[in-house]
């Protein structure tokens, strides 16, 4: 039976890349089902995502493609589309993003396997366990922060999690933690409010009379909230809205944007371009 695969690659832009990839697949009876490409004149790099079907096994295709990748200096990955990535969610007290993710996983709208939810508070336990998902209470204090992060890393390893999602996890992660999970952590935060840092950002926005609020999902780095951006969304607001109404709009934006970003990551649609991302939607 034919399998489906996703090939992603980036390399210095030059003539012949698409021809080499298409020729490689044609020689092995591969049928291209969908293809995206982008040439960035700023970085001089070429990016490509190819979804194809082929009768050959994943391991054999990887071995065969290696010389092509080497010839073009590619950074590339070949994924078996049937392999579902394992997702671990971290949350604190605000559970709107978690609730949305639990629903989307339950109906199959997110192409991954939710292996657990961990939190520094116990508030989300009833919601999580009602969905049939394992809940891990990992409390933290200033003195126990390093030990608690080690427990999270142990959980990532024991659950074989491929990606960690910060669904309003209100703890600043250490540089060491971020480095160990580089490229494997996605966060959501309120954006388009750059002047309103700290507590109660929507109330600060209300006091300033903002007209646009939004949310951003991004990869986590040691630089707080400054990792490569995956997706953003905004909503227009006006003077008649209360702070509580702004919070409600913000909750919806955060949930929607986080789900999109996670889905695109699991579908191998995101390629890093320096500090930016190329997202083939």
């Amino acid at each position: 039976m034919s399998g489906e695969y996703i090939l992603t690659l980036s390399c210095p832009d030059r003539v012949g890349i698409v021809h080499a990839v298409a020729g490689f697949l044609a020689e092995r009876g591969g049928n291209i089902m969908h293809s995206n490409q982008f040439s960035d004149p700023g970085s001089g790099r070429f990016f490509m995502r190819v979804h194809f079907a082929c009768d050959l096994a994943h391991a054999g295709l990887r071995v065969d493609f290696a010389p092509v990748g080497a010839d073009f200096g590619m950074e590339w990955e070949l994924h078996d589309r049937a392999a579902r990535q394992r997702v671990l969610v971290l949350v604190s007290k605000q559970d709107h993003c978690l609730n949305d993710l639990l629903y989307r996983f339950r109906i199959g709208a997110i192409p991954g396997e939710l292996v657990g939810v961990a939190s520094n508070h116990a508030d989300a336990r009833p919601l999580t366990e009602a969905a049939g998902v394992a809940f891990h209470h990992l409390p933290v204090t200033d003195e126990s922060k390093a030990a608690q992060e080690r427990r999270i890393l142990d959980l990532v390893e024991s659950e074989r999690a491929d990606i960690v999602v910060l669904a309003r996890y209100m703890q600043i992660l250490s540089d060491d933690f971020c480095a160990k999970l580089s490229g494997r952590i996605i966060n959501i935060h309120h954006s388009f409010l750059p002047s309103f840092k700290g507590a109660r950002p929507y109330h600060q926005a209300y006091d300033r009379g903002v007209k646009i609020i939004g949310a951003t999902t991004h990869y986590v780095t040691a630089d707080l909230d400054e990792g490569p951006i995956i997706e953003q969304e905004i909503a227009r607001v006006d003077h008649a809205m209360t702070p509580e109404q702004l919070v409600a709009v913000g909750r919806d934006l955060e949930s929607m944007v986080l789900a999109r970003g996670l889905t695109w990551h699991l579908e191998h649609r995101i390629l890093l371009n320096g500090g930016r991302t190329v997202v083939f939607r």
Side-chain angles (χ1 to χ4, degrees):
M1 181 180 294
S2 179
E4 293 185 23
Y5 303 95
I6 295 174
L7 173 67
T8 59
L9 63 91
S10 67
C11 60
D13 197 6
R14 55 178 270 201
V15 173
I17 302 170
V18 175
H19 179 270
V21 172
F24 170 86
L25 296 177
E27 289 169 3
R28 287 154 183 82
N31 178 44
I32 296 177
M33 305 173 71
H34 194 80
S35 180
N36 302 92
Q37 64 191 61
F38 171 66
S39 178
D40 181 9
S43 65
R45 293 189 67 82
F46 178 84
F47 302 84
M48 191 173 190
R49 178 186 185 272
V50 184
H51 174 195
F52 67 95
C54 186
D55 291 332
L56 301 181
H58 179 260
L61 285 170
R62 283 187 57 84
V63 171
D64 289 351
F65 190 76
V68 179
D71 286 345
F72 287 89
M74 293 178 181
E75 297 177 10
W76 63 277
E77 294 181 352
L78 180 65
H79 306 277
D80 185 340
R81 194 163 178 264
R84 292 164 62 85
Q85 294 189 71
R86 297 169 66 82
V87 181
L88 175 68
V89 173
L90 303 186
V91 66
S92 290
K93 289 190 174 183
Q94 298 181 47
D95 61 6
H96 53 283
C97 288
L98 171 63
N99 187 52
D100 181 74
L101 290 176
L102 290 171
Y103 172 74
R104 292 175 190 265
F105 274 107
R106 180 169 65 81
I107 66 172
I110 296 179
E113 181 180 355
L114 181 57
V115 298
V117 173
S119 177
N120 54 319
H121 298 282
D123 301 57
R125 182 188 294 276
L127 174 65
T128 302
E129 293 183 342
V133 178
F135 181 83
H136 306 270
H137 184 207
L138 304 177
V140 62
T141 64
D142 291 342
E143 294 74 22
S144 67
K145 187 172 184 62
Q148 191 251 18
E149 287 192 345
R150 285 194 297 271
R151 293 178 67 190
I152 295 175
L153 291 172
D154 288 343
L155 186 60
V156 170
E157 182 176 358
S158 65
E159 294 294 342
R160 296 178 287 111
D162 299 294
I163 182 73
V164 175
V165 179
L166 307 184
R168 298 297 286 171
Y169 182 65
M170 308 305 289
Q171 291 289 313
I172 297 176
L173 302 175
S174 69
D175 292 357
D176 181 64
F177 185 94
C178 294
K180 287 179 178 176
L181 292 177
S182 178
R184 298 172 57 195
I185 318 179
I186 290 176
N187 187 30
I188 184 70
H189 73 91
H190 50 83
S191 72
F192 299 96
L193 302 179
S195 298
F196 313 120
K197 297 181 180 180
R200 297 165 63 87
Y202 292 105
H203 291 74
Q204 295 180 56
Y206 172 81
D207 291 339
R208 290 286 300 276
V210 302
K211 300 297 183 276
I212 293 176
I213 61 174
T216 295
T217 187
H218 63 93
Y219 287 111
V220 173
T221 65
D223 295 321
L224 182 63
D225 292 336
E226 294 185 13
I229 293 171
I230 299 170
E231 172 65 334
Q232 296 179 295
E233 188 59 87
I234 61 169
R236 299 199 67 85
V237 296
D238 62 35
H239 62 278
M241 299 179 72
T242 65
E244 291 72 26
Q245 289 173 318
L246 297 187
V247 170
V249 173
R251 284 196 299 259
D252 289 344
L253 293 175
E254 291 166 10
S255 300
M256 176 173 57
V257 170
L258 182 59
R260 280 186 203 159
L262 175 59
T263 299
W264 293 342
H265 176 90
L266 296 174
E267 292 177 343
H268 311 291
R269 297 183 178 277
I270 308 167
L271 286 77
L272 289 178
N273 183 17
R276 304 166 61 222
T277 59
V278 173
V279 182
F280 293 123
R281 303 186 181 187

